[in-house]
Amino acid sequence: MRVVCVSDTHLTVDSIDSESLFPKALAKMSKLEGKEMYRRMRDGIFFAWESVRTEVRKFSPDAVVHMGDVTGGWRELGMMNGDVRHLAHQVMADMRRIAPKAFVCPGNHDLGYSHPGSLSGGMTEDSVFFAEQIFSDLWWKFEDEGGVLHLGVASPIAEYVGKEESILRLVRAQRQFVGDALSDHDGPWVLYTHSPLVVRHLSREIEVHEDNLLQVVAGDLHSPSRGTMLRAFAKVCAPIAKFSRRHTVAKALAKTVICPSTAPLWWGGHGFMTLDILDGVPRVDFRKAPRAYTGVLPTESATRCLAWMLYPSLFS
């Protein structure tokens, strides 16, 4: 079974009013310079996805899984804008041309932010509705021919801390789905999620089945090297948390890999990964498509991006 994972494409509409790319940093620049920087970042993001999309096709995967943040969204409200939804529809069409199975683990930019401190109010019943219309299933499962269960979840829903009852019902429904899927499957499984920290919210469902967990595949952190640091930290914490539910969380994080982002944000982008499972053993390979953007963006490394956010005028 070969699964290709892509993540954090962050495709962005042409309007800077979307506030989908570093709005506070752009606001520190002159209006003209801010719009030009937004255009450059948007172009770099689009070219990177085109290059990755072309490269992924060469692997003829059995399934393609997008690890979330398909678009940059609209003002932290998910896809509450027609142009943003059009971009997401295009990505889904691309994925369905690549593989017979195409799934998404929605991210915060897709569903709206989970926390009540969001600048625009975050996730709502409407923002979830639009995501369901485009992605079909916000959580999903399938079993491959080798008997491995592939289980995908929507981490923003699992992490939701608001009070909207319609979303709280989804929180409960997703937990029930995960619990039932694992109870019905007595064998190896792989968890797919946008945020790697979702295991904190699903530890009760995972706990009994943690020994059969082969791999956690996540996005959100953009660079796979951050996954290496996360695994190292989890392995240190696991013995300390041995007699609590945190031990389940630590064991899951110790098996977590971060799918590299397509978008050149916080690192160079142009990344994707392949997951091959042979005889119940997972093999992960991080891959990069050819660089497709001739310009230089301040967002292409974490250090440079942080410096630009603090002093954007230095990079105009």
Side-chain angles (χ1 to χ4, degrees):
M1 176 74 180
R2 165 160 286 185
V3 179
V4 167
C5 297
V6 296
S7 190
D8 295 273
T9 42
H10 282 277
L11 295 181
T12 302
V13 296
D14 61 4
S15 173
I16 195 173
D17 292 337
S18 70
E19 298 182 357
S20 58
L21 290 169
F22 306 98
K24 291 182 180 179
L26 293 178
K28 295 177 184 178
M29 306 175 78
S30 71
K31 190 172 183 180
L32 185 62
E33 289 175 336
K35 284 188 174 181
E36 174 60 18
M37 179 62 75
Y38 182 90
R39 183 197 64 78
R40 286 171 54 195
M41 289 189 289
R42 179 175 178 267
D43 286 351
I45 287 168
F46 269 91
F47 285 130
W49 169 237
E50 287 183 356
S51 182
V52 168
R53 183 182 61 197
T54 300
E55 199 69 15
V56 164
R57 284 199 186 102
K58 300 176 183 178
F59 288 86
S60 301
D62 301 295
V64 57
V65 178
H66 197 301
M67 307 310 304
D69 286 353
V70 175
T71 75
W74 185 268
R75 298 179 181 175
E76 300 186 1
L77 290 168
M79 294 181 285
M80 295 291 288
N81 172 276
D83 292 335
V84 174
R85 294 195 293 274
H86 178 68
L87 290 176
H89 274 297
Q90 287 183 319
V91 173
M92 290 304 299
D94 289 339
M95 289 170 57
R96 287 167 179 148
R97 283 190 286 265
I98 290 170
K101 292 184 175 70
F103 301 95
V104 175
C105 297
N108 52 311
H109 287 271
D110 302 314
L111 290 173
Y113 281 38
S114 299
H115 58 83
S118 169
L119 298 176
S120 303
M123 190 191 308
T124 64
E125 183 176 4
D126 287 340
S127 69
V128 173
F129 170 79
F130 283 125
E132 285 182 307
Q133 294 299 301
I134 296 168
F135 302 146
S136 296
D137 298 313
L138 301 183
W139 50 83
W140 45 267
K141 66 176 182 177
F142 70 90
E143 187 172 326
D144 66 31
E145 65 278 4
V148 177
L149 177 69
H150 299 256
L151 182 62
V153 298
S155 58
I157 288 177
E159 295 168 346
Y160 181 70
V161 294
K163 297 181 179 180
E164 192 164 336
E165 181 55 35
S166 63
I167 300 177
L168 292 173
R169 284 197 296 269
L170 294 176
V171 174
R172 294 190 291 269
Q174 178 170 245
R175 291 185 66 169
Q176 184 72 46
F177 174 84
V178 171
D180 289 347
L182 293 176
S183 295
D184 293 341
H185 177 81
D186 185 21
W189 61 288
V190 177
L191 178 67
Y192 300 83
T193 172
H194 178 65
S195 169
L197 299 182
V198 75
V199 294
R200 295 181 303 167
H201 303 275
L202 298 174
S203 60
R204 188 186 304 274
E205 289 72 28
I206 292 172
E207 186 176 21
V208 180
H209 310 278
E210 64 184 28
D211 290 337
N212 287 331
L213 177 61
L214 297 178
Q215 197 86 74
V216 178
V217 183
D220 196 30
L221 301 184
H222 289 218
S223 171
S225 65
R226 291 165 197 145
T228 303
M229 292 187 285
L230 183 66
R231 290 192 301 276
F233 177 75
K235 288 174 182 177
V236 171
C237 292
I240 302 172
K242 190 171 183 180
F243 300 104
S244 72
R245 188 161 286 133
R246 292 178 182 175
H247 187 248
T248 296
V249 175
K251 286 186 70 175
L253 291 177
K255 297 178 181 179
T256 298
V257 293
I258 299 299
C259 179
S261 75
T262 294
L265 302 175
W266 296 105
W267 83 302
H270 296 79
F272 65 101
M273 61 167 274
T274 56
L275 172 64
D276 293 288
I277 300 179
L278 299 173
D279 299 323
V281 179
R283 173 181 170 176
V284 170
D285 287 303
F286 300 116
R287 304 182 185 274
K288 254 195 169 185
R291 179 181 170 84
Y293 181 65
T294 57
V296 177
L297 298 172
T299 59
E300 292 182 68
S301 81
T303 303
R304 188 176 172 86
C305 187
L306 182 60
W308 171 71
M309 290 172 67
L310 294 173
Y311 306 103
S313 60
L314 297 177
F315 298 89
S316 59

